[in-house]
Amino acid sequence: MNIQSLFLVLALVLTTAELQAQQFDGGIATYQSKTSFDFENFGSREMSEQMKKQFAERMKSRLEKTFTLSFTKDESIYEEEEKLETPGTGGGMRFMGGGFSQGGIYKNIADDVYARENDLMGKSFLVKDTLSKLDWKLEKESKMIGQYAAFKAIAIRKRDVNPFEAMRRGREEDTTAVDMPKEEVITAWYTPQIPVSQGPDEYWGLPGLILEVSAGRTVILCNKIVINPKEGLDIETPKKGNKVSRAEYEEIVAEKTKEMAKRFGNGRRRGPGQ
């Protein structure tokens, strides 16, 4: 056993023993989420360089976010930390003339429940369904993340289409859109030192808290954990909005993006006096 492996084992044993010596009531983990974006090649031919530059400046603040995961053994809520908006950007995401915002992700592992409150173009939806399950493959590779010994796991899932891609695909005249990969590899790092099957975003199902996730262009990394916080935990099940399943909500989003893309395309084609 090399020195790094020995250090990992010692850290795992010591921290696990410490947790077992105290009553575990849950914790709060802070994550930094960063998403890369191809600003150079984004935009249609009709967009000026100035328009592309303004768009890139507004998007950069939305591609780096801070989240907190409040968790117990069975429940968790993953929420974005509130921050002051840059003047002129407005709250939430402007969605082709409407609003698009998402609430915290609630997961109940014991009852197999996923729930999230979303606002889409003036309408509130309660997306409630069973948890998304990944077929994790545990790897032997390990590393330290802060003071925690973390182990690697990988999974393959169907690739989600975000609203920007959906809008682009919905434009019938856009011949530059290309088919994206239908699957993506998810790489996660979890620590058995915190023996809960929770994680950031929709990720869960590993024998320890997930500290890091890489999926597509997004990396989520934990940089702080507080076990048994003095102020306690506030984990509430989302309840507001028109109740729909995950599949039903995806259909609604797809339909709305197509409608908005067509309106936008028709609007661009109008000439003076038309």
Side-chain angles (χ1 to χ4, degrees):
M1 182 180 293
N2 57 39
I3 295 178
Q4 182 179 6
S5 298
L6 179 60
F7 186 69
L8 286 168
V9 171
L10 288 174
L12 180 60
V13 171
L14 291 174
T15 309
T16 303
E18 182 180 349
L19 282 176
Q20 291 176 344
Q22 61 179 317
Q23 180 180 350
F24 175 72
D25 294 322
I28 299 176
T30 303
Y31 294 84
Q32 296 294 325
S33 174
K34 294 185 179 182
T35 302
S36 60
F37 192 87
D38 186 5
F39 290 108
E40 294 295 328
N41 297 317
F42 177 80
S44 63
R45 287 167 292 185
E46 290 80 6
M47 290 181 67
S48 66
E49 291 303 315
Q50 181 63 24
M51 291 173 63
K52 291 182 181 180
K53 182 179 179 181
Q54 290 176 348
F55 176 82
E57 291 175 350
R58 295 183 64 175
M59 281 297 297
K60 282 183 179 179
S61 64
R62 303 188 184 280
L63 297 176
E64 297 185 7
K65 299 182 178 182
T66 302
F67 294 85
T68 57
L69 177 73
S70 301
F71 63 91
T72 63
K73 181 179 180 181
D74 295 330
E75 293 183 286
S76 68
I77 185 77
Y78 184 69
E79 301 174 295
E80 182 180 355
E81 286 191 352
E82 294 184 2
K83 62 182 179 180
L84 294 175
E85 293 286 345
T86 302
T89 62
M93 179 185 294
R94 300 309 299 171
F95 194 85
M96 300 293 290
F100 175 74
S101 64
Q102 296 178 302
I105 296 176
Y106 171 84
K107 300 191 292 288
N108 188 315
I109 295 174
D111 296 333
D112 192 19
V113 173
Y114 163 95
R116 188 173 197 177
E117 295 173 357
N118 291 344
D119 289 327
L120 177 63
M121 302 178 70
K123 294 184 179 181
S124 298
F125 295 91
L126 173 61
V127 184
K128 195 167 185 179
D129 214 318
T130 56
L131 294 169
S132 296
K133 298 176 177 62
L134 292 175
D135 185 14
W136 292 108
K137 179 183 178 182
L138 305 186
E139 302 285 332
K140 295 181 179 180
E141 190 175 347
S142 60
K143 67 178 181 179
M144 294 297 295
I145 298 180
Q147 67 184 51
Y148 296 96
F151 296 84
K152 185 178 181 180
I154 60 173
I156 298 176
R157 72 174 179 188
K158 179 181 177 182
R159 187 179 181 277
D160 294 329
V161 177
N162 63 46
F164 288 111
E165 291 174 9
M167 282 190 288
R168 189 177 184 184
R169 293 182 183 187
R171 290 167 52 194
E172 296 176 347
E173 78 280 13
D174 189 350
T175 59
T176 63
V178 296
D179 291 334
M180 301 297 292
K182 295 181 179 180
E183 294 182 334
E184 63 182 354
V185 177
I186 312 298
T187 302
W189 295 85
Y190 67 95
T191 177
Q193 292 173 248
I194 303 179
V196 298
S197 190
Q198 300 284 0
D201 206 88
E202 297 192 16
Y203 304 106
W204 68 285
L206 287 169
L209 180 67
I210 298 174
L211 302 181
E212 181 180 336
V213 177
S214 297
R217 293 178 177 268
T218 300
V219 176
I220 305 173
L221 178 63
C222 179
N223 58 16
K224 181 181 178 182
I225 300 176
V226 178
I227 300 297
N228 296 338
K230 294 181 180 180
E231 65 273 16
L233 297 175
D234 184 16
I235 301 177
E236 296 184 1
T237 308
K239 299 177 180 177
K240 299 179 181 179
N242 180 30
K243 185 177 177 181
V244 294
S245 68
R246 188 184 282 104
E248 290 171 335
Y249 183 71
E250 289 174 354
E251 289 181 2
I252 293 171
V253 172
E255 186 61 30
K256 292 298 182 182
T257 52
K258 288 180 181 179
E259 291 178 6
M260 291 300 99
K262 289 180 180 179
R263 290 182 187 178
F264 179 66
N266 290 336
R268 286 193 303 107
R269 285 195 294 268
R270 292 193 185 99
Q274 288 183 303

